[in-house]
Amino acid sequence: MAKKDRYAVFGNPIKHSKSPRIHKMFVEQTNQQMEYTAKEVPAEKFFTAVTDFFDHGGKGLNCTLPLKELAFDFADEKTERAEICKAVNTLAVKANGKILGDNTDGCGLITDLKNNRVDIKNARVLLLGAGGASRGILAPILEQSPRHLILANRTRKKADDLAEEFHLYGFVDGSGFAELKGKKFDLIINATSASLYDEMPPVESGILAENGVCYDLAYGNRPTAFVRWGAEQNARLSLDGLGMLVEQAAEAFYIWRKIRPDTKVVIDSLHAARRFSLDE
Ligand code: ATR
């Protein structure tokens, strides 16, 4: 039997990662000779673990929280989109042996929004949170030419600083949460880590425009607090980040194997598994 190429995801925690399942489905679809495993790697062991992985023939890695900035530092070369957000979620060995760092998160979000027929062009967009997750998606959102993008954060200064940094990619303004009152948005994206604690960022009711869409970058086996809030606000769609997760994985798979898997069947299968786990 042919030897399998080795890929993995490193993160901390990693136990609940769906990435091995997603890549297994991609592999089955495309008949690739590869394996993909998950490994818990604390930040202080990252450089040793990654060096060891590539020294022993590993072909590619995904890096998730809290390792994306460290992966950026590790990569010998970076793609433009990784340079812009200063974070890397995909490492790949190039033909010359150098390690390339890329970031497929923003592309994953935009593809999932398009799959769900959510058009950013000319939309009034609100992005909640000014941490690493927002940094990864700001430029790809601005590239889609929204009418405007407001970046709101609990700590106002972080929103202003991040907005300032991304000004050259399009119109983006920093804001606190209180100033959102009375405004209307066609798309509200939650990139805070509040969902991890089943909390809702402190935004007022009534800021979602008619037919507006809510999108949480986080996902879980149950609807997140933000997804529930979106439904209460009569959102046309209130989605979590499961689709984005599959799409960013597909983009990484393409970087490694130069084959695009069919993501729809994978997303449908994960949705079905989730419904089944809720019925249990
Ligand atoms: P990540 O890499 O996931 O973005 P992070 O860099 O620690 O994580 O950023 C977390 C973001 O979620 C921050 O914008 C944080 O707001 P502050 O900068 O004010 O800390 C935001 N956040 C976390 N919990 C929140 C909550 N309960 N309500 C509102 N914002 C919250």
PDB file of all heavy atoms in Angstrom, residues 113-134:
ATOM      1  N   LEU A 113     -20.754  32.764   3.008  1.00  0.00           N
ATOM      2  CA  LEU A 113     -21.790  33.795   2.823  1.00  0.00           C
ATOM      3  C   LEU A 113     -22.351  33.698   1.407  1.00  0.00           C
ATOM      4  O   LEU A 113     -23.567  33.736   1.203  1.00  0.00           O
ATOM      5  CB  LEU A 113     -21.213  35.193   3.085  1.00  0.00           C
ATOM      6  CG  LEU A 113     -20.970  35.538   4.563  1.00  0.00           C
ATOM      7  CD1 LEU A 113     -20.178  36.841   4.697  1.00  0.00           C
ATOM      8  CD2 LEU A 113     -22.278  35.651   5.347  1.00  0.00           C
ATOM      9  N   LYS A 114     -21.462  33.527   0.419  1.00  0.00           N
ATOM     10  CA  LYS A 114     -21.926  33.417  -0.978  1.00  0.00           C
ATOM     11  C   LYS A 114     -22.797  32.167  -1.161  1.00  0.00           C
ATOM     12  O   LYS A 114     -23.826  32.217  -1.824  1.00  0.00           O
ATOM     13  CB  LYS A 114     -20.740  33.381  -1.952  1.00  0.00           C
ATOM     14  CG  LYS A 114     -20.117  34.763  -2.090  1.00  0.00           C
ATOM     15  CD  LYS A 114     -19.012  34.786  -3.141  1.00  0.00           C
ATOM     16  CE  LYS A 114     -18.470  36.209  -3.257  1.00  0.00           C
ATOM     17  NZ  LYS A 114     -17.143  36.282  -3.881  1.00  0.00           N
ATOM     18  N   ASN A 115     -22.368  31.059  -0.555  1.00  0.00           N
ATOM     19  CA  ASN A 115     -23.163  29.821  -0.646  1.00  0.00           C
ATOM     20  C   ASN A 115     -24.580  30.041  -0.127  1.00  0.00           C
ATOM     21  O   ASN A 115     -25.530  29.420  -0.584  1.00  0.00           O
ATOM     22  CB  ASN A 115     -22.556  28.706   0.216  1.00  0.00           C
ATOM     23  CG  ASN A 115     -21.248  28.183  -0.353  1.00  0.00           C
ATOM     24  OD1 ASN A 115     -20.929  28.450  -1.505  1.00  0.00           O
ATOM     25  ND2 ASN A 115     -20.490  27.451   0.461  1.00  0.00           N
ATOM     26  N   ASN A 116     -24.681  30.939   0.874  1.00  0.00           N
ATOM     27  CA  ASN A 116     -25.998  31.212   1.478  1.00  0.00           C
ATOM     28  C   ASN A 116     -26.678  32.435   0.847  1.00  0.00           C
ATOM     29  O   ASN A 116     -27.618  32.985   1.406  1.00  0.00           O
ATOM     30  CB  ASN A 116     -25.843  31.421   2.987  1.00  0.00           C
ATOM     31  CG  ASN A 116     -25.657  30.095   3.706  1.00  0.00           C
ATOM     32  OD1 ASN A 116     -26.605  29.343   3.870  1.00  0.00           O
ATOM     33  ND2 ASN A 116     -24.419  29.798   4.095  1.00  0.00           N
ATOM     34  N   ARG A 117     -26.132  32.859  -0.295  1.00  0.00           N
ATOM     35  CA  ARG A 117     -26.679  33.994  -1.056  1.00  0.00           C
ATOM     36  C   ARG A 117     -26.746  35.280  -0.244  1.00  0.00           C
ATOM     37  O   ARG A 117     -27.704  36.036  -0.312  1.00  0.00           O
ATOM     38  CB  ARG A 117     -28.067  33.657  -1.611  1.00  0.00           C
ATOM     39  CG  ARG A 117     -28.031  32.503  -2.587  1.00  0.00           C
ATOM     40  CD  ARG A 117     -29.309  32.410  -3.385  1.00  0.00           C
ATOM     41  NE  ARG A 117     -29.164  31.484  -4.483  1.00  0.00           N
ATOM     42  CZ  ARG A 117     -29.159  30.165  -4.342  1.00  0.00           C
ATOM     43  NH1 ARG A 117     -29.298  29.625  -3.148  1.00  0.00           N
ATOM     44  NH2 ARG A 117     -29.008  29.373  -5.391  1.00  0.00           N
ATOM     45  N   VAL A 118     -25.727  35.495   0.567  1.00  0.00           N
ATOM     46  CA  VAL A 118     -25.635  36.748   1.326  1.00  0.00           C
ATOM     47  C   VAL A 118     -24.628  37.638   0.587  1.00  0.00           C
ATOM     48  O   VAL A 118     -23.462  37.264   0.453  1.00  0.00           O
ATOM     49  CB  VAL A 118     -25.159  36.501   2.776  1.00  0.00           C
ATOM     50  CG1 VAL A 118     -25.059  37.827   3.530  1.00  0.00           C
ATOM     51  CG2 VAL A 118     -26.101  35.534   3.486  1.00  0.00           C
ATOM     52  N   ASP A 119     -25.124  38.776   0.092  1.00  0.00           N
ATOM     53  CA  ASP A 119     -24.290  39.660  -0.713  1.00  0.00           C
ATOM     54  C   ASP A 119     -23.785  40.815   0.158  1.00  0.00           C
ATOM     55  O   ASP A 119     -24.578  41.547   0.739  1.00  0.00           O
ATOM     56  CB  ASP A 119     -25.150  40.188  -1.880  1.00  0.00           C
ATOM     57  CG  ASP A 119     -24.293  40.769  -2.973  1.00  0.00           C
ATOM     58  OD1 ASP A 119     -23.051  40.685  -2.864  1.00  0.00           O
ATOM     59  OD2 ASP A 119     -24.865  41.317  -3.941  1.00  0.00           O
ATOM     60  N   ILE A 120     -22.478  40.971   0.217  1.00  0.00           N
ATOM     61  CA  ILE A 120     -21.908  42.049   1.037  1.00  0.00           C
ATOM     62  C   ILE A 120     -21.865  43.369   0.270  1.00  0.00           C
ATOM     63  O   ILE A 120     -21.906  44.440   0.860  1.00  0.00           O
ATOM     64  CB  ILE A 120     -20.477  41.669   1.505  1.00  0.00           C
ATOM     65  CG1 ILE A 120     -20.544  40.435   2.412  1.00  0.00           C
ATOM     66  CG2 ILE A 120     -19.808  42.824   2.249  1.00  0.00           C
ATOM     67  CD1 ILE A 120     -19.215  40.018   2.994  1.00  0.00           C
ATOM     68  N   LYS A 121     -21.799  43.273  -1.056  1.00  0.00           N
ATOM     69  CA  LYS A 121     -21.676  44.501  -1.870  1.00  0.00           C
ATOM     70  C   LYS A 121     -22.805  45.474  -1.506  1.00  0.00           C
ATOM     71  O   LYS A 121     -23.985  45.101  -1.499  1.00  0.00           O
ATOM     72  CB  LYS A 121     -21.759  44.136  -3.353  1.00  0.00           C
ATOM     73  CG  LYS A 121     -21.305  45.249  -4.268  1.00  0.00           C
ATOM     74  CD  LYS A 121     -21.198  44.699  -5.687  1.00  0.00           C
ATOM     75  CE  LYS A 121     -21.201  45.770  -6.736  1.00  0.00           C
ATOM     76  NZ  LYS A 121     -20.200  46.787  -6.635  1.00  0.00           N
ATOM     77  N   ASN A 122     -22.415  46.694  -1.144  1.00  0.00           N
ATOM     78  CA  ASN A 122     -23.366  47.762  -0.771  1.00  0.00           C
ATOM     79  C   ASN A 122     -24.102  47.542   0.548  1.00  0.00           C
ATOM     80  O   ASN A 122     -24.978  48.330   0.899  1.00  0.00           O
ATOM     81  CB  ASN A 122     -24.413  48.000  -1.870  1.00  0.00           C
ATOM     82  CG  ASN A 122     -23.831  48.845  -2.967  1.00  0.00           C
ATOM     83  OD1 ASN A 122     -23.006  49.722  -2.679  1.00  0.00           O
ATOM     84  ND2 ASN A 122     -24.201  48.574  -4.200  1.00  0.00           N
ATOM     85  N   ALA A 123     -23.790  46.460   1.250  1.00  0.00           N
ATOM     86  CA  ALA A 123     -24.494  46.191   2.513  1.00  0.00           C
ATOM     87  C   ALA A 123     -23.895  47.039   3.647  1.00  0.00           C
ATOM     88  O   ALA A 123     -22.714  47.388   3.618  1.00  0.00           O
ATOM     89  CB  ALA A 123     -24.378  44.713   2.860  1.00  0.00           C
ATOM     90  N   ARG A 124     -24.756  47.354   4.636  1.00  0.00           N
ATOM     91  CA  ARG A 124     -24.270  48.024   5.852  1.00  0.00           C
ATOM     92  C   ARG A 124     -23.871  46.895   6.807  1.00  0.00           C
ATOM     93  O   ARG A 124     -24.728  46.128   7.246  1.00  0.00           O
ATOM     94  CB  ARG A 124     -25.397  48.866   6.453  1.00  0.00           C
ATOM     95  CG  ARG A 124     -25.845  50.019   5.569  1.00  0.00           C
ATOM     96  CD  ARG A 124     -27.212  50.532   5.934  1.00  0.00           C
ATOM     97  NE  ARG A 124     -28.255  49.561   5.631  1.00  0.00           N
ATOM     98  CZ  ARG A 124     -29.558  49.737   5.893  1.00  0.00           C
ATOM     99  NH1 ARG A 124     -29.982  50.830   6.472  1.00  0.00           N
ATOM    100  NH2 ARG A 124     -30.449  48.799   5.582  1.00  0.00           N
ATOM    101  N   VAL A 125     -22.580  46.808   7.065  1.00  0.00           N
ATOM    102  CA  VAL A 125     -22.077  45.655   7.821  1.00  0.00           C
ATOM    103  C   VAL A 125     -21.578  46.087   9.203  1.00  0.00           C
ATOM    104  O   VAL A 125     -20.892  47.102   9.337  1.00  0.00           O
ATOM    105  CB  VAL A 125     -20.922  44.951   7.056  1.00  0.00           C
ATOM    106  CG1 VAL A 125     -20.412  43.738   7.827  1.00  0.00           C
ATOM    107  CG2 VAL A 125     -21.370  44.538   5.658  1.00  0.00           C
ATOM    108  N   LEU A 126     -21.931  45.310  10.211  1.00  0.00           N
ATOM    109  CA  LEU A 126     -21.434  45.527  11.579  1.00  0.00           C
ATOM    110  C   LEU A 126     -20.610  44.307  11.983  1.00  0.00           C
ATOM    111  O   LEU A 126     -21.085  43.175  11.897  1.00  0.00           O
ATOM    112  CB  LEU A 126     -22.618  45.689  12.542  1.00  0.00           C
ATOM    113  CG  LEU A 126     -22.291  45.710  14.040  1.00  0.00           C
ATOM    114  CD1 LEU A 126     -21.396  46.904  14.393  1.00  0.00           C
ATOM    115  CD2 LEU A 126     -23.581  45.756  14.870  1.00  0.00           C
ATOM    116  N   LEU A 127     -19.377  44.556  12.389  1.00  0.00           N
ATOM    117  CA  LEU A 127     -18.518  43.469  12.868  1.00  0.00           C
ATOM    118  C   LEU A 127     -18.292  43.667  14.359  1.00  0.00           C
ATOM    119  O   LEU A 127     -17.827  44.728  14.790  1.00  0.00           O
ATOM    120  CB  LEU A 127     -17.189  43.513  12.096  1.00  0.00           C
ATOM    121  CG  LEU A 127     -16.121  42.492  12.468  1.00  0.00           C
ATOM    122  CD1 LEU A 127     -16.630  41.061  12.317  1.00  0.00           C
ATOM    123  CD2 LEU A 127     -14.877  42.671  11.575  1.00  0.00           C
ATOM    124  N   LEU A 128     -18.659  42.666  15.146  1.00  0.00           N
ATOM    125  CA  LEU A 128     -18.522  42.752  16.606  1.00  0.00           C
ATOM    126  C   LEU A 128     -17.231  42.076  17.046  1.00  0.00           C
ATOM    127  O   LEU A 128     -16.995  40.912  16.708  1.00  0.00           O
ATOM    128  CB  LEU A 128     -19.712  42.058  17.289  1.00  0.00           C
ATOM    129  CG  LEU A 128     -21.112  42.531  16.871  1.00  0.00           C
ATOM    130  CD1 LEU A 128     -22.183  41.648  17.514  1.00  0.00           C
ATOM    131  CD2 LEU A 128     -21.318  43.989  17.253  1.00  0.00           C
ATOM    132  N   GLY A 129     -16.404  42.794  17.800  1.00  0.00           N
ATOM    133  CA  GLY A 129     -15.153  42.228  18.305  1.00  0.00           C
ATOM    134  C   GLY A 129     -13.952  42.807  17.579  1.00  0.00           C
ATOM    135  O   GLY A 129     -14.038  43.136  16.379  1.00  0.00           O
ATOM    136  N   ALA A 130     -12.848  42.965  18.295  1.00  0.00           N
ATOM    137  CA  ALA A 130     -11.643  43.539  17.680  1.00  0.00           C
ATOM    138  C   ALA A 130     -10.423  42.702  18.050  1.00  0.00           C
ATOM    139  O   ALA A 130      -9.331  43.230  18.253  1.00  0.00           O
ATOM    140  CB  ALA A 130     -11.478  44.990  18.115  1.00  0.00           C
ATOM    141  N   GLY A 131     -10.607  41.389  18.142  1.00  0.00           N
ATOM    142  CA  GLY A 131      -9.492  40.486  18.450  1.00  0.00           C
ATOM    143  C   GLY A 131      -8.983  39.811  17.184  1.00  0.00           C
ATOM    144  O   GLY A 131      -9.200  40.285  16.060  1.00  0.00           O
ATOM    145  N   GLY A 132      -8.315  38.674  17.378  1.00  0.00           N
ATOM    146  CA  GLY A 132      -7.704  37.947  16.267  1.00  0.00           C
ATOM    147  C   GLY A 132      -8.716  37.502  15.221  1.00  0.00           C
ATOM    148  O   GLY A 132      -8.418  37.528  14.025  1.00  0.00           O
ATOM    149  N   ALA A 133      -9.912  37.103  15.655  1.00  0.00           N
ATOM    150  CA  ALA A 133     -10.904  36.606  14.698  1.00  0.00           C
ATOM    151  C   ALA A 133     -11.331  37.723  13.748  1.00  0.00           C
ATOM    152  O   ALA A 133     -11.473  37.496  12.534  1.00  0.00           O
ATOM    153  CB  ALA A 133     -12.109  36.043  15.447  1.00  0.00           C
ATOM    154  N   SER A 134     -11.510  38.939  14.256  1.00  0.00           N
ATOM    155  CA  SER A 134     -11.885  40.073  13.396  1.00  0.00           C
ATOM    156  C   SER A 134     -10.754  40.421  12.441  1.00  0.00           C
ATOM    157  O   SER A 134     -10.978  40.677  11.251  1.00  0.00           O
ATOM    158  CB  SER A 134     -12.205  41.314  14.243  1.00  0.00           C
ATOM    159  OG  SER A 134     -13.388  41.097  14.946  1.00  0.00           O
TER     160      SER A 134
END
